[in-house]
Amino acid sequence: MLSFATGTRVFVATEPIDMRGSFDALAGAARRLGLEPSDGHLYFFLNRRRRLCRVLWFDGSGWILLSKRLERGTFELPAAGASGQVAVSASTLAMLLDGIALSAPRRRWYRGRAAS
């Protein structure tokens, strides 16, 4: 399991990109969004059909590229502004990768009996 520092942010590109490229192409896509990919944050990209995602991360010693292809369904993007990217939390990234619909996520909290 990967673990990230507390201040690590996740940037989601809202426009699809060509997934034929690898590390350098994704780093260039992040730079075109006005971001610096070697800053230790994570960068999430989708292809046009939204069935393939890649996450780019620089851990200080080298680049890490995570890929996931869905067999059924599509990834859902969070709502974003006009900047072409949106910052989300690590828990939202986990929901994205798990295929949870971001439009109506629901947390279930355990509510035990009231203390007497």
Side-chain angles (χ1 to χ4, degrees):
M1 179 173 172
L2 295 173
S3 61
F4 307 108
T6 304
T8 303
R9 297 172 66 190
V10 179
F11 294 98
V12 178
T14 57
E15 296 296 320
I17 66 158
D18 183 1
M19 290 292 187
R20 291 177 291 180
S22 187
F23 300 96
D24 296 330
L26 292 176
R31 286 187 184 100
R32 284 190 294 278
L33 294 173
L35 303 168
E36 180 49 50
S38 62
D39 60 5
H41 298 301
L42 283 80
Y43 299 89
F44 181 92
F45 301 95
L46 290 174
N47 68 342
R48 187 171 310 280
R49 293 182 184 172
R50 297 189 335 200
R51 293 187 59 195
L52 176 66
C53 79
R54 290 205 173 151
V55 179
L56 181 68
W57 177 38
F58 187 77
D59 70 350
S61 64
W63 295 98
I64 297 171
L65 184 62
L66 305 169
S67 293
K68 183 170 184 175
R69 185 187 72 203
L70 296 177
E71 293 300 316
R72 290 185 302 175
T74 59
F75 290 104
E76 182 179 330
L77 286 173
S83 65
Q85 52 90 12
V86 63
V88 298
S89 66
S91 59
T92 302
L93 174 64
M95 290 190 321
L96 279 168
L97 293 174
D98 283 342
I100 295 173
L102 298 177
S103 57
R106 214 171 70 182
R107 276 202 180 142
R108 297 176 185 244
W109 296 100
Y110 174 72
R111 295 181 190 209
R113 289 182 284 158
S116 302

